[in-house]
Amino acid sequence: MPNWTDEQLAAMEETDGSLLVSAAAGSGKTAVLVERVLRRLTDAKDPVDIDRFLLVTYTNAAAAEMRGKIADAITARLGERPDDARLRRQLLLVHRAQITTVHSFCLNLVREQFAALSLIPDFRIADEGELADIMEEAMEAVLEAGYEAEDEGFLALSDLLSAGRDDKRLSQVVLEVFQKIQSHADPDAFLSEVAAMFVDEGGSGAHRAVLLAEAKDAAEYGLACLRLALGELETDGDLGAAYTPAFTSDEAHARALLAAIGQGWDAAVAAARDITHDRLGTVRGYEDKAFQGLRKGWRDAADRIQTRLLAVDSEKEAHDRALVAPAMLALVRTVRAFGKAFADEKLRRGVVDFGDLEHFAVRLLIKDGRPTGLAKTVAAGFDEIMVDEYQDTNAVQEAIFSAVSREGRNLFFVGDVKQSIYGFRLANPYIFLSKYRAWPDADCAAPGEPRRLNLTRNFRSRAQVLDATNDIFRRVMCEAVGDLDYTDREALYVGADYPEPGDPRYKTEVLLLDTSGKSLSADEDGAEDAAEADKAVLEAELVAGRIRRLLDEGF
């Protein structure tokens, strides 16, 4: 029997409400998930059959591996208890249990309910080539209809994106918008929200809040640079006399800007416009780089604020919004028209894509924001819904998990937001983060309340590796950069015992490689690619050489 840590035991045994497990790298996440299932199956007071679980992961290979691990765990336990009829039954049931990908779950649901979706019973999943052909046909038809209608907004949109040439860029934008909004549970509702921003006078409030927050962060960074410089100048008489007036003026502008940001949009824009930069005095025979660099930190921040974040006041913004509104509303209409044409042609051919499966499932399971009767029937079949790699879910999948749960009370999520890598597939790690920030720790949660816990013990690496990793992450990872403050709660801790823990040879090394001045083995056109290739070779040689020396030293 493994020596489980207290954190791992809590993740296995906690059943009083939904649970979010933030499982750091190497923390034994899969072993914990398998053991949690096994303990639920063999619970003396309230045993659960394996086919009463919905266990979702994100690849077919991962689902097959998970099924195999659970079957192996049941077999091993059966070896200890060969007369246990219940365990023998679970070993039979495991092969029909819902250990699956989200797309496979949705596909089964859609096949059962094809008539409610107006699909033919033998619909199939289209391959990428066929989908590309359907998209092209739909796009051509939609754009042609837009030109024939001579809609002013559409023509303005075309002029804006095509500049009198072909409409390739227009097609790209329409397709890109369409694909991105598929990560929303209700893409059409999202488009309506976007359209309202160009109709409603107050529609820019959310964007203003984001821009003001970014301007505040930039101004605070610039002010920190100025304060550091002024502190240093206090100890240098000649340089202080030459530089302090300009730095003091900069500091006053930074303070005024921060005060104005708290007063609202127009006040902040006015303060940004007032920012000027006095010339620095000169000191003979002094080559200054540090102070110039600190001032550049402020000037770059101020330039970004003036030209990108707080560039226009309310009056100019309203004027600009009115100018672009016809084109933007036409974009919304064109995306909708493309979506309909694309869906109609797929329906005609009897094909679907993976995105359709998720959205069809949402249509079947949710109506007016509430679970449908079908959703309640599906939910009654599961005692627990377990989602692996939860950091890579999106809003559509989140809606599905919620709909087939028992009012959100029987959910088990496990993942690590630091390992979210599927943004290009429209994964949304903020779904994980929102729960991580809102849900209380498991030992503080009220009965039935959703809770969280962390698995921080790492069983793959020595302390030297973890200490170096923690040091880097603490310096670079915060909510503003990385979306998460890296505190002691998120840090990695040694979970395994290693021989010779104090051996100095295990200290973390930083190998520096200077690639400047290295010759490139390519012509000018391929110089950039050749440079990257050369660097990769040099890095490989450096690492291989270090490994060779370690082996020669008997490591």
Side-chain angles (χ1 to χ4, degrees):
M1 184 70 70
N3 293 320
W4 303 110
T5 67
D6 291 342
E7 296 171 342
Q8 291 174 325
L9 287 171
M12 298 169 192
E13 297 171 353
E14 183 66 63
T15 57
D16 187 17
S18 290
L19 181 64
L20 174 71
V21 178
S22 180
S27 61
K29 175 196 70 172
T30 302
V32 167
L33 195 152
V34 171
E35 182 67 17
R36 178 182 174 89
V37 172
L38 193 60
R39 292 188 180 211
R40 294 293 310 272
L41 299 182
T42 58
D43 186 276
K45 295 181 179 179
D46 186 23
V48 178
D49 286 340
I50 185 64
D51 61 352
R52 299 282 302 176
F53 286 86
L54 171 60
L55 204 163
V56 179
T57 189
Y58 283 87
T59 68
N60 289 321
E65 182 181 8
M66 183 65 67
R67 188 186 303 274
K69 286 181 180 294
I70 292 174
D72 290 345
I74 295 173
T75 301
R77 190 63 58 87
L78 193 56
E80 300 170 5
R81 296 151 56 175
D83 296 329
D84 192 324
R86 174 170 177 76
L87 276 176
R88 288 200 299 272
R89 182 168 182 270
Q90 301 312 307
L91 196 56
L92 295 174
L93 291 176
V94 72
H95 299 291
R96 75 179 193 190
Q98 288 266 32
I99 304 171
T100 182
T101 66
V102 66
H103 288 135
S104 294
F105 172 77
C106 293
L107 176 60
N108 290 336
L109 183 66
V110 172
R111 287 211 182 279
E112 291 173 1
Q113 303 293 326
F114 69 90
L117 297 164
S118 301
L119 296 174
I120 60 174
D122 59 343
F123 71 85
R124 59 185 175 83
I125 297 176
D127 60 37
E128 291 185 6
E130 184 175 11
L131 288 174
D133 290 340
I134 298 173
M135 285 183 180
E136 185 176 355
E137 291 179 15
M139 187 67 71
E140 288 179 1
V142 168
L143 296 187
E144 184 177 348
Y147 287 121
E148 288 180 354
E150 297 185 350
D151 176 75
E152 290 185 6
F154 180 84
L155 296 178
L157 176 66
S158 177
D159 289 342
L160 182 66
L161 295 175
S162 304
R165 298 187 291 272
D166 60 44
D167 52 19
K168 181 179 179 181
R169 179 59 181 155
L170 174 57
S171 298
Q172 289 175 338
V173 170
V174 171
L175 182 58
E176 183 177 346
V177 172
F178 172 79
Q179 291 174 332
K180 286 188 179 299
I181 66 174
Q182 300 312 302
S183 64
H184 292 267
D186 189 343
D188 192 65
F190 175 76
L191 285 177
S192 295
E193 293 176 10
V194 172
M197 291 169 49
F198 294 92
V199 177
D200 182 4
E201 287 293 329
S204 60
H207 283 92
R208 285 187 180 184
V210 171
L211 293 174
L212 285 171
E214 289 194 24
K216 183 174 181 288
D217 289 342
E220 287 176 342
Y221 169 77
L223 181 59
C225 292
L226 297 173
R227 285 174 173 168
L228 180 59
L230 286 168
E232 294 292 329
L233 288 171
E234 289 178 357
T235 63
D236 192 319
D238 291 340
L239 199 61
Y243 281 10
T244 297
F247 274 95
T248 301
S249 174
D250 289 341
E251 184 189 31
H253 282 302
R255 290 180 180 276
L257 175 60
L258 286 168
I261 287 174
Q263 298 170 12
W265 181 259
D266 284 336
V269 172
R273 289 175 177 172
D274 287 342
I275 294 174
T276 58
H277 306 286
D278 295 349
R279 291 178 61 87
L280 293 173
T282 58
V283 178
R284 283 183 171 274
Y286 184 83
E287 183 181 355
D288 165 41
K289 291 184 178 179
F291 288 103
Q292 295 280 3
L294 289 171
R295 198 178 197 218
K296 186 176 185 298
W298 158 246
R299 294 189 67 153
D300 288 349
D303 180 69
R304 179 167 176 258
I305 291 168
Q306 289 177 311
T307 61
R308 297 182 61 187
L309 301 178
L310 304 178
V312 296
D313 59 20
S314 295
E315 183 178 354
K316 181 67 164 59
E317 180 199 359
H319 177 262
D320 291 346
R321 186 171 63 248
L323 288 177
V324 301
M328 295 305 299
L329 294 174
L331 176 60
V332 169
R333 292 194 298 272
T334 305
V335 171
R336 278 182 169 144
F338 169 76
K340 184 178 187 307
F342 184 40
D344 288 348
E345 181 60 18
K346 285 185 290 184
L347 182 63
R348 188 187 71 79
R349 298 190 187 196
V351 300
V352 300
D353 59 34
F354 288 111
D356 291 331
L357 296 177
E358 292 183 349
H359 284 285
F360 286 155
V362 169
R363 193 188 306 177
L364 291 168
L365 299 171
I366 301 171
K367 184 176 182 180
D368 299 328
R370 300 289 300 168
T372 61
L374 174 63
K376 294 176 181 178
T377 299
V378 173
F382 299 122
D383 287 311
E384 182 162 298
I385 297 165
M386 310 178 80
V387 183
D388 192 15
E389 305 295 354
Y390 185 59
Q391 75 277 356
D392 289 320
T393 196
N394 64 35
V396 188
Q397 296 158 357
E398 173 74 355
I400 293 169
F401 302 147
S402 178
V404 299
S405 72
R406 297 180 182 178
E407 298 182 349
R409 294 194 301 268
N410 61 329
L411 294 162
F412 176 89
F413 302 123
V414 61
D416 181 9
V417 72
K418 299 186 293 300
Q419 299 184 60
S420 180
I421 59 173
Y422 288 111
F424 67 94
R425 293 184 184 174
L426 305 179
N428 185 359
Y430 294 101
I431 295 173
F432 183 105
L433 283 170
S434 65
K435 290 182 174 62
Y436 186 80
R437 292 167 181 159
W439 290 7
D441 289 332
D443 55 2
C444 300
E449 186 179 19
R451 68 275 321 272
R452 70 175 186 186
L453 61 83
N454 292 56
L455 298 182
T456 59
R457 296 288 170 183
N458 178 287
F459 296 88
R460 294 178 185 166
S461 304
R462 288 178 174 267
Q464 293 88 337
V465 174
L466 301 182
D467 290 344
T469 302
N470 287 333
D471 185 60
I472 293 172
F473 279 13
R474 282 194 176 99
R475 294 172 186 271
V476 303
M477 186 175 288
C478 61
E479 193 164 332
V481 181
D483 301 314
L484 181 71
D485 289 330
Y486 197 80
T487 67
D488 290 345
R489 181 194 301 277
E490 289 74 32
L492 300 168
Y493 300 93
V494 177
D497 294 326
Y498 290 91
E500 303 173 326
D503 191 328
R505 295 179 300 172
Y506 291 108
K507 285 185 177 180
T508 300
E509 295 181 353
V510 178
L511 304 181
L512 301 179
L513 176 63
D514 183 2
T515 61
S516 61
K518 302 295 183 182
S519 60
L520 301 177
S521 56
D523 57 25
E524 185 175 346
D525 290 339
E528 185 174 344
D529 291 340
E532 290 302 316
D534 281 1
K535 289 178 181 178
V537 171
L538 291 169
E539 289 174 5
E541 290 175 345
L542 178 68
V543 173
R546 183 68 184 111
I547 294 173
R548 180 72 269 169
R549 290 194 300 275
L550 288 171
L551 292 173
D552 292 343
E553 294 166 3
F555 189 76

